[in-house]
Amino acid sequence: MDFKELEEALVYKKKNGFDLLSTEELEEVWSFAEEYKAYLDASKTEREAVCESERIALANGFEKYQSGKKYKTGDKIYKINRDKSIMLVRFGKKDISEGVNIAAAHIDSPRLDLKPCPVYESADMAFFKTHYYGGIKKYQWTTIPLSLHGVVVKADGERVTVTVGEEDTDPIFYITDLLPHLAADQMQKTISTAIPAESLNVLIGSQKIESEDVKDRVKLYALSLLNEKYGICEADFISAELTLVPAAKARDIGFDRSLIAAYGHDDRVCAYPALKALIDTVPVRTSIVCLTDKEETGSDGNTGLNSNYLFDFITSLATTHGADALDVFEKSACLSADVNAAFDPDYAEVYEKNNASLINCGTVLTKYTGARGKSSTSDASAEFVGKIRRIFDNNGVIWQMAELGKTDVGGGGTVAKYVANRNIDTIDLGVAVLSMHAPVEAVAKIDIYETYKAICAFFKDYE
Ligand code: MN
Ligand code: MN
């Protein structure tokens, strides 16, 4: 008996993409990564990701959805929800009554939002108070260059867009930290208490207005500059969504450039492949990409997937085309395209290696997320996983199955349960990320490309 053959036939091993891909395929991997980096740099907030996705969709023949219009095979449409989420549809060969294929990814990322009354002055410096958004390790956000993004709605209703800190000639913003010489007490604290949220205050200036008749002259000078440039006053921050994100652009990592360091891979690293897959695939069933907001804060609110917006949209499409919406949901399938925690050898103790995702081993299927005994998750059925893996294998997708860390260590959630709760078969699929939720995260280029290939295969073949 040839035991080598026996091993090949019986043993499941994760395979590294560098052992599988041809030179030509690697060329495609590298060029896809360049497109993705450009998308990332243009999409630092969910609003910017919606704009950039709409721009790409329009350039590829998608049209704005018209309520009540009947669409036919091949039609490509999109609908934007409150400028913070976007749904794109490509009508398939099969009637919508046969169900739809959904890829859902989120385009919000952890960051520092400004408080509603953010501006103050202290010790002759002006600052913004922040309120962090999503799960962050606060110490990571001090002493790094930050850029300001968002919108301000003025008292008269005019909306002003603000972006400062992305151009090389722009100023950046900055949160101070204590020098080691005076940090003896701070260094004794735990990482979670050493930097309290109320000290994540952003330095925005130190120059004063000339008059000595007023107090808080540094704050007033900063306000006067904002008024000059944007026509806003302090009260306008009350109706604003301004956020601080790392000012860095996406950059390659390593002598071989095989990985990418960037802000917000979670989850634009799945959003972009999903968008591209919809553009590049002729789908068997009507296929939908939903790029959603609010995942990082629990998916609540009318731009998050714990609301009805996606499901109401599918219901409208079904009804217009003479199908029963509940029947459509039951027959539909969804890839909840979100990231997994890549095995990190420096912190091996939190991973269970047989069930951890590995860098360069392809897109990651995650059967369930949750914590403490699969609490608060959708657990994809064996039948559904079986169907998905067959499609991936038939299309030469490099994929791996993983959990998120050791069972007792922690856990996490995605939008999967909100989709599955609507009676739609759902499984998580996405890219393995190193340093997830850090200001700058890392992913491997092969894994991004394989995620794209996986979503293409799903749209093309799942029925
Ligand atoms: Mn995510
Ligand atoms: Mn996340």
mmCIF file of all heavy atoms in Angstrom, residues 106 108-110 134-135 265-267 295-297 338-339 413-414 436-437 441, ligand 2:
data_model
loop_
_atom_site.group_PDB
_atom_site.id
_atom_site.type_symbol
_atom_site.label_atom_id
_atom_site.label_comp_id
_atom_site.label_asym_id
_atom_site.label_seq_id
_atom_site.Cartn_x
_atom_site.Cartn_y
_atom_site.Cartn_z
ATOM 1 N N HIS A 106 -19.388 44.432 6.044
ATOM 2 C CA HIS A 106 -19.607 45.739 6.661
ATOM 3 C C HIS A 106 -18.501 46.713 6.289
ATOM 4 O O HIS A 106 -17.349 46.321 6.041
ATOM 5 C CB HIS A 106 -19.795 45.632 8.175
ATOM 6 C CG HIS A 106 -18.599 45.182 8.948
ATOM 7 N ND1 HIS A 106 -17.693 46.053 9.493
ATOM 8 C CD2 HIS A 106 -18.169 43.944 9.283
ATOM 9 C CE1 HIS A 106 -16.765 45.373 10.148
ATOM 10 N NE2 HIS A 106 -17.022 44.094 10.027
ATOM 11 N N ASP A 108 -18.118 49.762 8.080
ATOM 12 C CA ASP A 108 -17.705 50.577 9.231
ATOM 13 C C ASP A 108 -16.525 49.879 9.901
ATOM 14 O O ASP A 108 -16.398 48.660 9.822
ATOM 15 C CB ASP A 108 -18.862 50.753 10.225
ATOM 16 C CG ASP A 108 -19.356 49.420 10.806
ATOM 17 O OD1 ASP A 108 -19.420 48.414 10.049
ATOM 18 O OD2 ASP A 108 -19.650 49.367 12.016
ATOM 19 N N SER A 109 -15.664 50.641 10.530
ATOM 20 C CA SER A 109 -14.503 50.078 11.227
ATOM 21 C C SER A 109 -14.299 50.814 12.543
ATOM 22 O O SER A 109 -14.729 51.962 12.685
ATOM 23 C CB SER A 109 -13.239 50.225 10.362
ATOM 24 O OG SER A 109 -13.363 49.492 9.167
ATOM 25 N N PRO A 110 -13.628 50.175 13.503
ATOM 26 C CA PRO A 110 -13.360 50.842 14.782
ATOM 27 C C PRO A 110 -12.598 52.150 14.571
ATOM 28 O O PRO A 110 -11.750 52.246 13.679
ATOM 29 C CB PRO A 110 -12.482 49.813 15.516
ATOM 30 C CG PRO A 110 -12.853 48.500 14.917
ATOM 31 C CD PRO A 110 -13.129 48.793 13.473
ATOM 32 N N GLY A 134 -16.795 51.021 18.382
ATOM 33 C CA GLY A 134 -16.362 49.637 18.181
ATOM 34 C C GLY A 134 -15.330 49.208 19.209
ATOM 35 O O GLY A 134 -14.984 49.964 20.116
ATOM 36 N N GLY A 135 -14.846 47.998 19.055
ATOM 37 C CA GLY A 135 -13.911 47.440 20.027
ATOM 38 C C GLY A 135 -12.482 47.853 19.735
ATOM 39 O O GLY A 135 -11.891 47.405 18.755
ATOM 40 N N HIS A 265 -9.088 47.115 7.259
ATOM 41 C CA HIS A 265 -9.277 45.851 6.510
ATOM 42 C C HIS A 265 -10.587 45.195 6.945
ATOM 43 O O HIS A 265 -11.337 44.692 6.116
ATOM 44 C CB HIS A 265 -8.132 44.882 6.811
ATOM 45 C CG HIS A 265 -6.850 45.160 6.088
ATOM 46 N ND1 HIS A 265 -6.781 45.397 4.737
ATOM 47 C CD2 HIS A 265 -5.573 45.212 6.530
ATOM 48 C CE1 HIS A 265 -5.519 45.576 4.376
ATOM 49 N NE2 HIS A 265 -4.762 45.479 5.452
ATOM 50 N N ASP A 266 -10.805 45.185 8.278
ATOM 51 C CA ASP A 266 -12.076 44.688 8.837
ATOM 52 C C ASP A 266 -13.109 45.794 8.654
ATOM 53 O O ASP A 266 -13.115 46.734 9.452
ATOM 54 C CB ASP A 266 -11.873 44.309 10.310
ATOM 55 C CG ASP A 266 -13.151 43.849 10.979
ATOM 56 O OD1 ASP A 266 -14.144 43.631 10.274
ATOM 57 O OD2 ASP A 266 -13.158 43.731 12.218
ATOM 58 N N ASP A 267 -13.999 45.781 7.649
ATOM 59 C CA ASP A 267 -14.230 44.616 6.843
ATOM 60 C C ASP A 267 -14.232 44.987 5.359
ATOM 61 O O ASP A 267 -14.848 44.325 4.554
ATOM 62 C CB ASP A 267 -15.569 44.011 7.269
ATOM 63 C CG ASP A 267 -15.861 42.685 6.591
ATOM 64 O OD1 ASP A 267 -14.933 41.936 6.317
ATOM 65 O OD2 ASP A 267 -17.035 42.445 6.294
ATOM 66 N N GLU A 295 -21.877 47.296 11.973
ATOM 67 C CA GLU A 295 -21.542 45.959 12.482
ATOM 68 C C GLU A 295 -20.683 46.069 13.733
ATOM 69 O O GLU A 295 -20.845 45.298 14.680
ATOM 70 C CB GLU A 295 -20.824 45.139 11.395
ATOM 71 C CG GLU A 295 -20.715 43.653 11.718
ATOM 72 C CD GLU A 295 -19.566 43.281 12.650
ATOM 73 O OE1 GLU A 295 -18.614 44.070 12.781
ATOM 74 O OE2 GLU A 295 -19.616 42.206 13.270
ATOM 75 N N GLU A 296 -19.768 47.023 13.738
ATOM 76 C CA GLU A 296 -18.817 47.107 14.856
ATOM 77 C C GLU A 296 -19.478 47.545 16.165
ATOM 78 O O GLU A 296 -18.859 47.457 17.223
ATOM 79 C CB GLU A 296 -17.658 48.056 14.502
ATOM 80 C CG GLU A 296 -16.769 47.554 13.362
ATOM 81 C CD GLU A 296 -16.007 46.275 13.693
ATOM 82 O OE1 GLU A 296 -16.136 45.760 14.813
ATOM 83 O OE2 GLU A 296 -15.290 45.783 12.802
ATOM 84 N N THR A 297 -20.710 48.054 16.094
ATOM 85 C CA THR A 297 -21.403 48.410 17.344
ATOM 86 C C THR A 297 -22.614 47.514 17.577
ATOM 87 O O THR A 297 -23.483 47.848 18.379
ATOM 88 C CB THR A 297 -21.829 49.893 17.336
ATOM 89 O OG1 THR A 297 -22.604 50.144 16.156
ATOM 90 C CG2 THR A 297 -20.621 50.825 17.351
ATOM 91 N N ASP A 338 -17.019 38.353 6.390
ATOM 92 C CA ASP A 338 -16.334 39.091 7.457
ATOM 93 C C ASP A 338 -15.041 38.368 7.811
ATOM 94 O O ASP A 338 -14.848 37.211 7.458
ATOM 95 C CB ASP A 338 -17.252 39.231 8.677
ATOM 96 C CG ASP A 338 -16.932 40.484 9.498
ATOM 97 O OD1 ASP A 338 -15.827 41.041 9.349
ATOM 98 O OD2 ASP A 338 -17.793 40.886 10.314
ATOM 99 N N VAL A 339 -14.192 39.075 8.536
ATOM 100 C CA VAL A 339 -12.830 38.580 8.754
ATOM 101 C C VAL A 339 -12.760 37.566 9.895
ATOM 102 O O VAL A 339 -13.652 37.485 10.740
ATOM 103 C CB VAL A 339 -11.874 39.749 9.033
ATOM 104 C CG1 VAL A 339 -11.814 40.670 7.826
ATOM 105 C CG2 VAL A 339 -12.316 40.540 10.271
ATOM 106 N N GLY A 413 -18.799 38.340 17.087
ATOM 107 C CA GLY A 413 -20.011 38.141 16.299
ATOM 108 C C GLY A 413 -19.901 38.866 14.982
ATOM 109 O O GLY A 413 -19.032 39.701 14.790
ATOM 110 N N THR A 414 -20.800 38.523 14.068
ATOM 111 C CA THR A 414 -20.842 39.159 12.754
ATOM 112 C C THR A 414 -22.311 39.426 12.420
ATOM 113 O O THR A 414 -23.182 39.246 13.267
ATOM 114 C CB THR A 414 -20.253 38.221 11.676
ATOM 115 O OG1 THR A 414 -21.088 37.061 11.600
ATOM 116 C CG2 THR A 414 -18.825 37.812 12.011
ATOM 117 N N MET A 436 -6.288 42.344 14.308
ATOM 118 C CA MET A 436 -7.631 42.849 14.016
ATOM 119 C C MET A 436 -8.018 43.961 14.993
ATOM 120 O O MET A 436 -7.730 43.876 16.178
ATOM 121 C CB MET A 436 -8.642 41.699 14.103
ATOM 122 C CG MET A 436 -10.008 42.028 13.505
ATOM 123 S SD MET A 436 -11.260 40.858 14.058
ATOM 124 C CE MET A 436 -10.691 39.348 13.312
ATOM 125 N N HIS A 437 -8.670 44.991 14.459
ATOM 126 C CA HIS A 437 -9.147 46.164 15.219
ATOM 127 C C HIS A 437 -8.033 47.090 15.678
ATOM 128 O O HIS A 437 -8.296 48.063 16.389
ATOM 129 C CB HIS A 437 -10.030 45.769 16.408
ATOM 130 C CG HIS A 437 -11.411 45.368 16.018
ATOM 131 N ND1 HIS A 437 -12.498 45.481 16.849
ATOM 132 C CD2 HIS A 437 -11.892 44.865 14.856
ATOM 133 C CE1 HIS A 437 -13.579 45.045 16.226
ATOM 134 N NE2 HIS A 437 -13.230 44.662 15.013
ATOM 135 N N GLU A 441 -4.065 47.220 10.498
ATOM 136 C CA GLU A 441 -4.201 45.761 10.522
ATOM 137 C C GLU A 441 -3.424 45.168 9.345
ATOM 138 O O GLU A 441 -3.061 45.895 8.421
ATOM 139 C CB GLU A 441 -5.677 45.374 10.364
ATOM 140 C CG GLU A 441 -6.622 46.032 11.354
ATOM 141 C CD GLU A 441 -8.098 45.825 11.024
ATOM 142 O OE1 GLU A 441 -8.493 46.071 9.868
ATOM 143 O OE2 GLU A 441 -8.849 45.429 11.918
HETATM 144 MN MN MN B 2 -14.622 43.969 13.610
#
